Structure formats: structure tokens, C-alpha cells
Amino acid sequence: GALCGLLCLGLTHACFDVRLKDLCSPKLIERLESLATTAYEAFQDYAKRPPPPSATAADLASQPSYFDDDLRCYTYGWAAGEEEEHGQQQRDLGAWQYWHPRAHQEVPKLDQPPVHTFTSVLCWCAADRVRRIFAHRDNRAKAEIWGQRAEEMSAVILQRAWSLERKAFTSFWGGAVVGPSLLRLAEVGIIKANDPRFASTVECFEADAPKVALSLSVENAPQVGGLLQAGEDAWLDSVRSYCMSSNTMLWYAEALRAVGRIDDAKKLFNSITACANDCGLLSQSIDMRTR
């Protein structure tokens, strides 16, 4: 479903840009509708999944999906006391030794994995973009069909991804953690930038940033692990530094601009560009406290 949505997002532009009019063939439109149909069917499966028993279960029982929301796709490391065993590996990788507390939590077993919010949003994107294409080409019948499907999907997403406790959209339906992908909700159009729900989601992302960082450097790792296993967030006070991916920081800057925090967006964007090397290239990640 997510891949179909990404393809529809990328290829829809060809149907609106006059410079690409030769690419917008009936065959392309047929293919985009096929992709949207696959995404819609995948979404129907997501909508049938039962809610997780708790927000913690939703956050921990998820399957690796969207890189910037899921530490398992990025992080590697070892707990305190394992340095000697992995020392040569560390030198071979040329990497810092980081330990991320969330990587060592016990994963609850669920019959079906929780639904990743942005994956479901990408399914909606497929339906919405196909609707726009048919409306642009005056095919009102198909535009109405896909418009109804898009509205149906957005209603489910905005209801099941919303956390009343956090007052924010969360990375997984029924979860509690607000990950980087949610910074793109206004960008793709499922919610307006001036919607108070998006502004509060951005604020919750700021609070959760260390939880979704690529890697952490913490003091007294065993004690931190105990706090995390107990479901407490006091471990955040022990964080010395943490790294976020460069694209997450760029999404964050755009989200700040979208919600009207222009000065914050400019400061962040200037800080990001200052991290570029002599060739103007950014590294994969940026250390948010030591840079």
C-alpha cells in the first residue's frame, strides 16, 4: 500500500505539468488507477485490524516499516558491559558507540501488527491523487468514486490515529509516540496546516524527539533501561546527545513553517544548512546537542 501511494505521489505531477504532457498517457493514468486500487484494498485490511490493547503495545509490537519512525531500520548498538565484545566491530564500522534504551524493550505479541499511520496516509494519497487526475480530465464519474474513497479513508485515519491523551496523531494507530513521518501530514494534504491538531502534533514530536532518534548517548545506561522497562520517561533526562536524520530535520523545518512558526523554521533550516560539507552535501544524520 505504501509503495503504491509513493508511486502515485511521484507520478501524478506528470498529469498537471504541461512540460510533461507527453508522459501523461492513457496508459499511465490506467496504471495509476490500478496502483490506487491496490492501495485502497490494502487500506481495507488495515481498517479491519483490531485496536491494540494499549498504546505501549502499539508502539512496541509494530513491524519495521517507515525508516524514520522505526529505530530497528536504522540503529545498532549494544548495552553497557558489551563494549569489549563488540569493540572490533565498532572500529570496523567507524561508528560511535551508542545505546538506545527503546531497542531493548520486550516486544508484546499481537495477532496482527498495529497500523502504521503514515503508511495508511500514503494509501489515502493514492486515492486522492487519482481523484485529482480524473477531475482535471473532466471524468466526473471516476472523480466522484475516488473522491468518496478518499473521504472514507481520511475519516478512518484521522479518527484512529488520533490520541486523546497526547492530543496528537501518533506513529501507529492506538499508539502514543509521535514520530517524524507525522510532520508530513500537512505536506501531503490529509490535514490543513492551520488545523490545531497538526500544530499540537508538531509540539508532541518535539517532546518525543529523543524517543525516535536514530541513536542516543546516555549516562548510566542500566538505570535508564530500568526506567524504560517501568514505562517511565525519566530516562530522557540522562540523554547527553542524540542524532536525527537530516531529512527528518528538513521535514521538521517545513512543519514549523506550515504552522506559522516562521522564526523557528528559519533558525532550524539555517542550522541544518550549516552542517553541510564543503561540497554542500548533508550527512545522513545530525547530532542535535553537540553540533
Side-chain angles (χ1 to χ4, degrees), residues 73-88:
C73 294
Y74 267 135
T75 57
Y76 60 87
W78 34 88
E82 297 179 352
E83 298 91 339
E84 183 176 349
E85 177 184 351
H86 296 280
Q88 184 58 49

Side-chain angles (χ1 to χ4, degrees), residues 62-277:
S62 59
Q63 293 181 339
S65 52
Y66 197 81
F67 280 3
D68 298 85
D69 282 342
D70 201 316
L71 300 172
R72 289 167 294 179
C73 294
Y74 267 135
T75 57
Y76 60 87
W78 34 88
E82 297 179 352
E83 298 91 339
E84 183 176 349
E85 177 184 351
H86 296 280
Q88 184 58 49
Q89 179 185 6
Q90 178 192 358
R91 287 191 292 273
D92 292 343
L93 291 169
W96 292 332
Q97 181 177 323
Y98 274 148
W99 179 78
H100 203 298
R102 292 182 63 82
H104 296 274
Q105 285 185 277
E106 182 179 355
V107 177
K109 296 184 181 299
L110 300 179
D111 292 336
Q112 290 183 302
V115 178
H116 181 247
T117 297
F118 201 71
T119 294
S120 67
V121 169
L122 287 172
C123 292
W124 169 85
C125 286
D128 177 72
R129 269 41 177 194
V130 168
R131 174 197 64 80
R132 297 186 192 190
I133 292 172
F134 284 127
H136 181 65
R137 298 177 70 87
D138 293 325
N139 189 332
R140 296 182 181 180
K142 286 201 171 184
E144 183 176 354
I145 291 172
W146 283 105
Q148 291 174 349
R149 290 179 176 179
E151 289 181 10
E152 168 195 328
M153 296 162 77
S154 66
V156 173
I157 294 168
L158 298 180
Q159 188 268 323
R160 298 186 66 176
W162 179 256
S163 168
L164 291 174
E165 182 179 353
R166 296 296 309 273
K167 292 182 171 56
F169 295 106
T170 55
S171 296
F172 295 90
W173 292 4
V177 176
V178 180
S181 67
L182 300 169
L183 298 171
R184 304 189 64 193
L185 294 179
E187 175 193 341
V188 299
I190 195 169
I191 193 171
K192 294 185 180 298
N194 61 2
D195 191 311
R197 292 175 295 178
F198 182 60
S200 63
T201 297
V202 174
E203 292 174 0
C204 284
F205 165 77
E206 293 170 331
D208 285 357
K211 297 180 183 180
V212 294
L214 299 185
S215 53
L216 296 174
S217 176
V218 300
E219 297 177 359
N220 197 356
Q223 178 182 348
V224 169
L227 289 171
L228 195 65
Q229 291 286 359
E232 301 177 13
D233 284 342
W235 64 274
L236 295 173
D237 295 332
S238 300
V239 175
R240 291 199 302 262
S241 65
Y242 60 94
C243 287
M244 304 294 289
S245 69
S246 298
N247 53 286
T248 290
M249 290 293 93
L250 291 169
W251 295 341
Y252 179 32
E254 169 57 20
L256 291 173
R257 183 207 63 78
V259 299
R261 295 167 56 181
I262 306 300
D263 290 341
D264 290 340
K266 288 181 178 179
K267 290 177 182 178
L268 177 59
F269 184 75
N270 290 336
S271 296
I272 295 170
T273 55
C275 294
N277 61 21

